[in-house]
Amino acid sequence: MAIMAMENGADKIRINPGNIGGTDKIKAVVDVARERNIPIRVGVNSGSLEKDLIEKYGGVTAEGIVESALDKVKIIEDLGYDNLVVSIKSSDVMMCVKAHELIAKQTNHPLHVGITESGTIFSGSIKSSIGLGLILNQGIGDTIRVSLTDDPVREIEAAKLILKTLGLRKGGIEVVSCPTCGRTRINLIDLAGKVEKMVSGYDLDLKLAVMGCVVNGPGEAKEADLGIAGGDGCGVLIKHGEIIKKVPEEELLDTLRYELDNWNE
Ligand code: SF4
């Protein structure tokens, strides 16, 4: 499963219903793709669906999106070229899911999956997680793109986490953290955010727990390889559920960093 950060690179040619023109123009594109031996990406976005398909299906629908994509696929196949990637997208998550379920039964071409125009990092990550989760968990999809109104680096981070959560990608540090409660005596929300940011730079495959208290923290962190649990102005370092040492709150982050820098398990 690959993550596509850049959608329109020189390694493929992109055809969308809104910009293809007639069959002659498609043939011109196919000729260039054949000459350079690069795939053509057939992309349909619900926002640019052809009028006749909107009328046929009584609005923008999953069926219309699929028919639009498969029409172009057939034109290109009839021109004797089958090095294709199909990308059908909608900002309507459930429409996107349905469209992928439909098209997966009708073509064997690779599918590039994503929820388009999904929004900011908060709403976009939720929509992308639900949409991609439902689609990928059915074994549908070959490459993915998470579209966020944010730094593209965050798109990659979100995409990696979606794949890791689905068990489709190994590696990277998974951070688990508690929701805080009346027992929390440290600024756990701030600390968990800093930990998450810090660990993104490590190429380690482990689970790290950031817990709010020493009453339940070590127990809840038992499944993690490494963890910290807050006390009152201090915290403890935990390895495989065992408390290793106590450190002042302001040193918890550095203590974790040291452990990660010297991790050799
Ligand atoms: S680990 Fe402690 S602070 Fe966090 S939710 Fe559980 S009891 Fe509350």
Side-chain angles (χ1 to χ4, degrees), residues 3-258:
I3 300 166
M4 306 298 287
M6 301 283 288
E7 293 208 273
N8 204 10
D11 60 338
K12 64 179 172 296
I13 295 176
R14 185 171 174 171
I15 289 182
N16 293 324
N19 65 16
I20 53 172
T23 308
D24 284 354
K25 287 189 180 163
I26 296 182
K27 183 175 180 313
V29 171
V30 169
D31 288 345
V32 173
R34 200 193 319 265
E35 191 184 303
R36 299 185 189 176
N37 193 27
I38 54 176
I40 296 173
R41 173 175 146 174
V42 176
V44 176
N45 187 320
S46 60
S48 58
L49 194 61
E50 298 98 312
K51 275 190 190 147
D52 57 329
L53 289 173
I54 295 175
E55 280 165 19
K56 177 177 175 182
Y57 289 102
V60 176
T61 62
E63 289 80 1
I65 293 170
V66 170
E67 186 172 329
S68 174
L70 293 180
D71 277 353
K72 278 69 194 181
V73 167
K74 176 144 189 353
I75 292 170
I76 298 168
E77 286 176 340
D78 286 349
L79 290 166
Y81 200 70
D82 67 355
N83 188 0
L84 303 176
V85 177
V86 181
S87 173
I88 50 174
K89 291 185 177 177
S90 171
S91 56
D92 180 322
V93 175
M94 297 317 290
M95 185 189 292
C96 200
V97 172
K98 186 176 176 188
H100 280 88
E101 290 169 348
L102 292 173
I103 203 165
K105 292 179 187 145
Q106 299 176 64
T107 183
N108 288 324
H109 289 300
L111 298 176
H112 175 58
V113 186
I115 306 299
T116 195
E117 297 138 14
S118 62
T120 59
I121 190 148
F122 180 72
S123 62
S125 296
I126 292 174
K127 287 183 188 175
S128 296
S129 302
I130 291 173
L132 287 167
L134 288 169
I135 294 166
L136 298 178
N137 200 40
Q138 297 181 65
I140 299 170
D142 299 273
T143 58
I144 67 165
R145 162 82 194 272
V146 172
S147 305
L148 301 175
T149 311
D150 209 302
D151 186 336
V153 172
R154 307 309 300 274
E155 295 183 337
I156 299 293
E157 289 170 356
K160 283 179 177 173
L161 191 53
I162 288 170
L163 293 180
K164 193 169 165 64
T165 305
L166 287 165
L168 296 172
R169 183 185 173 92
K170 298 261 176 272
I173 298 177
E174 180 186 359
V175 178
V176 296
S177 54
C178 81
T180 75
C181 72
R183 286 198 174 110
T184 318
R185 295 284 177 272
I186 61 168
N187 188 349
L188 192 75
I189 296 172
D190 181 62
L191 181 61
K194 285 178 177 162
V195 169
E196 195 169 64
K197 199 166 177 193
M198 179 182 80
V199 302
S200 66
Y202 286 88
D203 192 24
L204 295 168
D205 185 5
L206 56 85
K207 187 184 265 194
L208 196 162
V210 182
M211 313 307 281
C213 75
V214 287
V215 180
N216 288 336
E220 292 177 23
K222 216 182 279 178
E223 301 300 316
D225 301 287
L226 189 63
I228 47 176
D232 199 350
C234 63
V236 292
L237 176 72
I238 305 160
K239 263 188 186 174
H240 304 299
E242 298 293 324
I243 294 177
I244 303 300
K245 64 176 173 181
K246 187 174 172 183
V247 287
E249 179 178 350
E250 59 275 12
E251 291 176 21
L252 280 169
L253 198 63
D254 284 340
T255 303
L256 261 187
R257 190 180 288 114
Y258 178 84

